[in-house]
């Protein structure tokens, strides 16, 4: 059996360290340092396909910060597929970053009131109409489709 030299071991560990730090996944560990697009990606991952067995598992949370006040809409999710507490933290952070972005970039908005959508169960997934942000909508709104 051939024994690895100290230099070879050092080289392997160095490559592993560089690779592991450069390919860091989005996570709640560095939550405060994430951009609004990164938070949007985490929200999308948490919502998934909003799969549910029954309509009673479908829920919404207000999302976004209109310059006139109030949310842009309501994120539709399934309590069967998502962790409501984790999703609430992500959406709160998203809303903070959205408010900052709106002020910094001078966005305006209509001052209409975003009403909670009526929820339905379509093909086993939670869905809403009107001001609903359904599964995948946050990715589209941020042009994050790759």
């Amino acid at each position: 059996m051939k024994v690895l030299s100290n230099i070879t071991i050092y080289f392997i560990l160095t490559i592993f360290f560089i690779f592991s730090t450069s390919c860091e996944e989005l996570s709640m560990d560095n939550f405060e340092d994430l951009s609004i697009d990164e938070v949007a990606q985490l929200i999308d991952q948490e919502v998934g396909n909003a799969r549910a067995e029954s309509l009673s598992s479908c829920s919404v949370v207000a999302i976004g910060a209109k310059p006139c006040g109030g949310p842009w809409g309501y994120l539709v999710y399934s309590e069967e597929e998502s962790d409501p507490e984790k999703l609430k933290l992500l959406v709160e952070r998203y809303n903070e970053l959205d408010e900052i972005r709106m002020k910094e970039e001078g966005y305006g908005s209509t001052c209409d009131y975003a009403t909670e959508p009526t929820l339905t169960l379509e093909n086993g997934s939670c869905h809403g109409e009107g001001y609903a942000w359904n599964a995948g909508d946050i990715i589209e709104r941020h042009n994050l489709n790759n």
Side-chain angles (χ1 to χ4, degrees):
M1 174 187 277
K2 188 174 180 180
V3 178
L4 297 174
S5 72
N6 285 344
I7 294 173
T8 304
I9 292 171
Y10 176 77
F11 178 75
I12 291 170
L13 290 174
T14 302
I15 295 299
F16 176 76
F17 177 75
I18 291 169
F19 182 74
S20 66
T21 56
S22 66
C23 296
E24 184 178 317
E25 287 187 33
L26 294 177
S27 72
M28 299 290 282
D29 295 339
N30 56 348
F31 189 64
E32 293 297 319
D33 298 328
L34 298 176
S35 71
I36 192 167
D37 288 343
E38 291 168 327
V39 174
Q41 288 175 330
L42 288 173
I43 290 170
D44 183 68
Q45 290 170 11
E46 188 61 32
V47 169
N49 293 320
R51 307 285 303 157
E53 294 289 323
S54 70
L55 183 58
S56 63
S57 296
C58 298
S59 195
V60 296
V61 61
I63 189 164
K66 278 188 169 185
C68 279
W72 285 106
Y74 291 86
L75 181 68
V76 178
Y77 69 97
S78 166
E79 292 181 5
E80 292 176 30
E81 189 170 354
S82 302
D83 175 346
E85 293 304 313
K86 181 178 178 183
L87 191 57
K88 181 182 175 188
L89 288 173
L90 287 167
V91 170
E92 284 175 359
R93 182 64 179 149
Y94 179 90
N95 293 347
E96 290 170 3
L97 293 171
D98 195 38
E99 185 174 3
I100 292 167
R101 178 178 63 169
M102 293 296 123
K103 287 178 182 173
E104 286 178 351
E105 297 180 13
Y107 277 95
S109 72
T110 59
C111 293
D112 61 332
Y113 179 73
T115 56
E116 275 194 42
T118 300
L119 299 176
T120 59
L121 193 60
E122 295 182 9
N123 299 317
S125 291
C126 300
H127 185 79
E129 295 294 328
Y131 289 97
W133 290 24
N134 293 294
D137 284 354
I138 196 166
I139 293 299
E140 280 185 33
R141 290 172 188 267
H142 284 264
N143 295 316
L144 297 173
N145 293 326
N146 293 351

